[in-house]
Amino acid sequence: MDFAEPLDRYEPEERYARARLREIIKEKGHTLSALARLIGRNPAYLHQYLGRGSPRHLDEPDLMKIAEFLGVDHETIATREIVLPRSSATDSGSEREGFVQVPRLPLEASAGPGAFSAQEISYDTFQFSRRWLREMGLEGADLSAIRVEGDSMEPLLRSGDEIFVDRNKRAGEGVHVVRIGDTLHVKQVQASAPRRIKLISANESYAPIELAREEVEIIGRVVWKGGRV
């Protein structure tokens, strides 16, 4: 016998939270199976949570991992209030500013021959204050952090640099992470002939690459870099 309660018996806030989570997963192009693997659960676990309301609430560690991976505040998708430790960061004296966690993905955007893309599951995070992101013009960005390999973008980007990629910025020219087949590259993207795209390296030792537009998937624009001195 199935003892799962129908969703319409739950509080509206709980139904809305599940609906928001479902929408965010769809918008960002993720799957429930990938998120289930992220939290070490059976794929059916999230299907039942979203579709049938069983379990009624996600465990706190699961909720925090999912929120971190999706780049949203945990309150956005929580079905009950979770009290977090207070941050020492302040804004205007005593008002808590808050932080945003940027997922660090086990991918390498090649600035050389090309790096094979791995499964996009966060293994670590960078944490930045909302104020800093606002000052950098990155408020509202859909950020992921990945590592650069190779020398074709030197001196702009060096091997080992960490870069922030804004997945909301996939149009226009600039330095982007792109996928060609199964490999990732970081290149200066420039429009060429109609339906053609040119990928340019900062290092003049590497010749530009020109491809049909449909051969290149633009993942996002590089908006920040960091690395060892």
Side-chain angles (χ1 to χ4, degrees):
M1 183 178 294
D2 189 350
F3 292 97
E5 296 179 278
L7 285 180
D8 57 8
R9 293 185 57 183
Y10 293 147
E11 294 295 328
E13 291 81 2
E14 295 180 23
R15 297 200 300 272
Y16 295 154
R18 288 186 176 86
R20 285 195 299 269
L21 176 56
R22 190 180 294 110
E23 289 172 1
I24 292 169
I25 292 171
K26 183 177 180 180
E27 286 175 4
K28 294 182 178 291
H30 300 305
T31 66
L32 293 181
S33 296
L35 290 178
R37 288 194 298 271
L38 172 69
I39 61 177
R41 298 278 190 172
N42 186 290
Y45 176 78
L46 288 180
H47 283 281
Q48 293 176 352
Y49 170 72
L50 290 175
R52 299 166 59 190
S54 178
R56 186 166 181 175
H57 305 292
L58 289 176
D59 291 341
E60 181 176 336
D62 293 344
L63 174 67
M64 300 305 293
K65 282 183 180 179
I66 291 173
E68 175 184 315
F69 175 68
L70 295 176
V72 299
D73 290 334
H74 72 278
E75 295 94 341
T76 303
I77 57 175
T79 55
R80 63 181 171 189
E81 182 179 1
I82 293 179
V83 179
L84 297 177
R86 289 184 60 84
S87 168
S88 59
T90 59
D91 185 22
S92 300
S94 60
E95 183 179 328
R96 187 169 181 268
E97 166 67 15
F99 288 84
V100 172
Q101 292 183 325
V102 176
R104 192 180 183 198
L105 304 181
L107 309 177
E108 294 175 345
S110 176
F116 284 95
S117 60
Q119 188 178 34
E120 296 188 22
I121 298 293
S122 171
Y123 72 98
D124 198 1
T125 60
F126 289 108
Q127 183 168 270
F128 292 90
S129 74
R130 295 183 187 279
R131 175 187 290 175
W132 184 86
L133 290 172
R134 199 159 50 239
E135 292 172 350
M136 295 293 293
L138 299 177
E139 187 175 28
D142 181 7
L143 298 174
S144 298
I146 59 177
R147 190 170 182 264
V148 172
E149 288 290 337
D151 64 353
S152 75
M153 289 302 288
E154 291 187 358
L156 179 63
L157 299 173
R158 299 184 182 279
S159 188
D161 282 352
E162 297 272 357
I163 56 176
F164 281 7
V165 182
D166 184 358
R167 294 173 184 254
N168 287 336
K169 297 184 180 296
R170 303 189 185 192
E173 299 185 350
V175 178
H176 289 75
V177 171
V178 302
R179 181 180 282 117
I180 303 172
D182 292 327
T183 61
L184 293 176
H185 302 262
V186 55
K187 297 292 180 187
Q188 178 83 29
V189 171
Q190 187 179 94
S192 185
R195 301 298 303 166
R196 304 284 293 178
I197 193 169
K198 184 177 288 187
L199 305 178
I200 303 172
S201 301
N203 187 336
E204 295 181 356
S205 299
Y206 292 81
I209 304 170
E210 187 170 323
L211 298 168
R213 180 63 184 83
E214 58 269 19
E215 294 181 85
V216 181
E217 178 189 358
I218 298 179
I219 303 300
R221 185 181 299 169
V222 177
V223 294
W224 184 87
K225 70 170 184 176
R228 296 185 64 178
V229 175

